[in-house]
Amino acid sequence: MTQGQSPFDESAPDADGDNGYYYLRLYVAGHTARSMAAMTNLRHVCETHLAGRYEIEVIDLVQNPRLAAGDQILAIPTLVRRLPTPLKRIIGDLSDTERVLVGLDIRRKADVP
């Protein structure tokens, strides 16, 4: 990555070779119960299944509503997996751990009991 370039820049190099490193954006709307639950649930999933291999960027759309357009956010909370590619979205408070694991491609659907 070049100096001043964020891993979330559209021009950022492909990080598929980064040993499964996950760059995640969580879009929330203020400090609502659903937003806080989504943050807590995401941190738990990441610490349990991706320890040391993830970065989370929380974007509060109450403070920065224009940022929703970049990832085409239509509902909140929404989790966007920027890397590894392809980009994926999960809508909701992320309380269904199995759905989150499948949605992030951490666990394949066939692996879910």
Side-chain angles (χ1 to χ4, degrees), residues 1 7-8 15 18 21-25 55 80-83:
M1 198 172 335
F8 302 107
D18 255 351
Y21 204 83
Y22 283 71
Y23 293 104
L24 307 168
R25 280 185 179 168
E55 182 176 326
V80 177
R81 183 188 78 182
R82 303 288 297 186
L83 293 174

Side-chain angles (χ1 to χ4, degrees), residues 35 48 56 88 97:
S35 295
T48 303
I56 300 171
K88 294 214 171 191
T97 302

Side-chain angles (χ1 to χ4, degrees), residues 71-93:
D71 280 323
Q72 301 173 345
I73 302 303
L74 302 175
I76 44 178
T78 295
L79 175 63
V80 177
R81 183 188 78 182
R82 303 288 297 186
L83 293 174
T85 57
L87 184 134
K88 294 214 171 191
R89 292 178 187 84
I90 303 171
I91 298 171
D93 67 4

Side-chain angles (χ1 to χ4, degrees), residues 19-79:
N19 297 324
Y21 204 83
Y22 283 71
Y23 293 104
L24 307 168
R25 280 185 179 168
L26 180 61
Y27 289 88
V28 297
H31 295 288
T32 65
R34 283 181 54 86
S35 295
M36 300 308 287
M39 284 188 266
T40 300
N41 293 333
L42 178 58
R43 289 187 202 290
H44 175 71
V45 166
C46 288
E47 280 302 312
T48 303
H49 298 278
L50 298 173
R53 299 184 301 129
Y54 71 94
E55 182 176 326
I56 300 171
E57 179 181 12
V58 176
I59 297 175
D60 186 343
L61 295 178
V62 170
Q63 296 175 358
N64 299 303
R66 289 177 283 170
L67 295 178
D71 280 323
Q72 301 173 345
I73 302 303
L74 302 175
I76 44 178
T78 295
L79 175 63

